[in-house]
Amino acid sequence: MDGKHMQIGEVAARTELSLRTIRHYEETGLVVPSARSRGGFRLYTETDVARLMVIRRMKPLGFTLDQMRDLLDATDRLDADAAEDATNATNATNATDRLDADEREALLERVRTYRQAAAEQVEKLRVQLSRAEDFADTLSARLDRNAPATRV
């Protein structure tokens, strides 16, 4: 686990999420502080910040909290399996919690599905942005045409 712990205010500043939003994500089970201080303050690690960044990036693409939870579950399980691979490579032990090939492929397919959905949404947003820029340009042109002439 990460060595350095951060309080919620630092995490909010780093992720550009409000304290309220981070607490909401905790209440819904999307992120759980890695520790608590003696005074009961939430303490987060770099891993927690990375998780919040995934959530922050999914939100504007229109993913629901359930979809965020599903993707995070899939990536958590894949990451845990990869960490297990690394541990087993150094310790030469057999693990019982390993994903079998079918489970691994099913998780990868879930991630691929989210990647495809994200790519489709990004394309839709590009079209919307282009239309918004055209609109702003139209307004600028209208203002330029109707601006009072300056006298020399």
Side-chain angles (χ1 to χ4, degrees):
M1 184 176 292
D2 305 324
K4 182 182 181 258
H5 285 95
M6 297 164 272
Q7 289 190 3
I8 194 170
E10 181 179 350
V11 173
R14 291 193 46 200
T15 61
E16 297 178 349
L17 294 169
S18 69
L19 300 177
R20 182 177 176 188
T21 297
I22 294 170
R23 289 184 188 114
H24 174 69
Y25 291 152
E26 179 186 354
E27 290 167 7
T28 59
L30 287 173
V31 67
V32 177
S34 291
R36 293 269 182 173
S37 70
R38 288 186 183 155
F41 293 104
R42 295 166 176 86
L43 298 175
Y44 298 88
T45 62
E46 289 296 332
T47 301
D48 301 324
V49 170
R51 188 176 185 88
L52 284 164
M53 292 302 293
V54 168
I55 296 164
R56 192 186 98 184
R57 290 175 180 129
M58 290 181 78
K59 185 148 180 54
L61 297 177
F63 289 103
T64 66
L65 294 178
D66 286 339
Q67 290 171 317
M68 293 176 194
R69 190 175 296 107
D70 183 55
L71 176 63
L72 290 166
D73 173 66
T75 57
D76 287 349
R77 291 177 61 198
L78 287 166
D79 291 348
D81 194 58
E84 189 72 31
D85 279 346
T87 300
N88 288 340
T90 56
N91 294 338
T93 60
N94 267 336
T96 57
D97 292 344
R98 296 289 322 262
L99 295 174
D100 67 32
D102 289 341
E103 289 174 306
R104 175 178 276 289
E105 185 53 39
L107 291 171
L108 289 170
E109 187 56 34
R110 279 167 56 191
V111 174
R112 287 184 199 106
T113 299
Y114 284 109
R115 178 185 61 189
Q116 180 62 35
E120 290 170 7
Q121 189 60 25
V122 165
E123 189 53 39
K124 288 178 185 176
L125 289 170
R126 281 191 178 113
V127 169
Q128 288 178 351
L129 178 60
S130 176
R131 289 177 182 157
E133 289 172 334
D134 288 346
F135 175 67
D137 290 345
T138 300
L139 292 176
S140 292
R142 180 175 297 275
L143 287 171
D144 289 346
R145 282 194 314 267
N146 291 305
T150 56
R151 296 184 183 170
V152 182

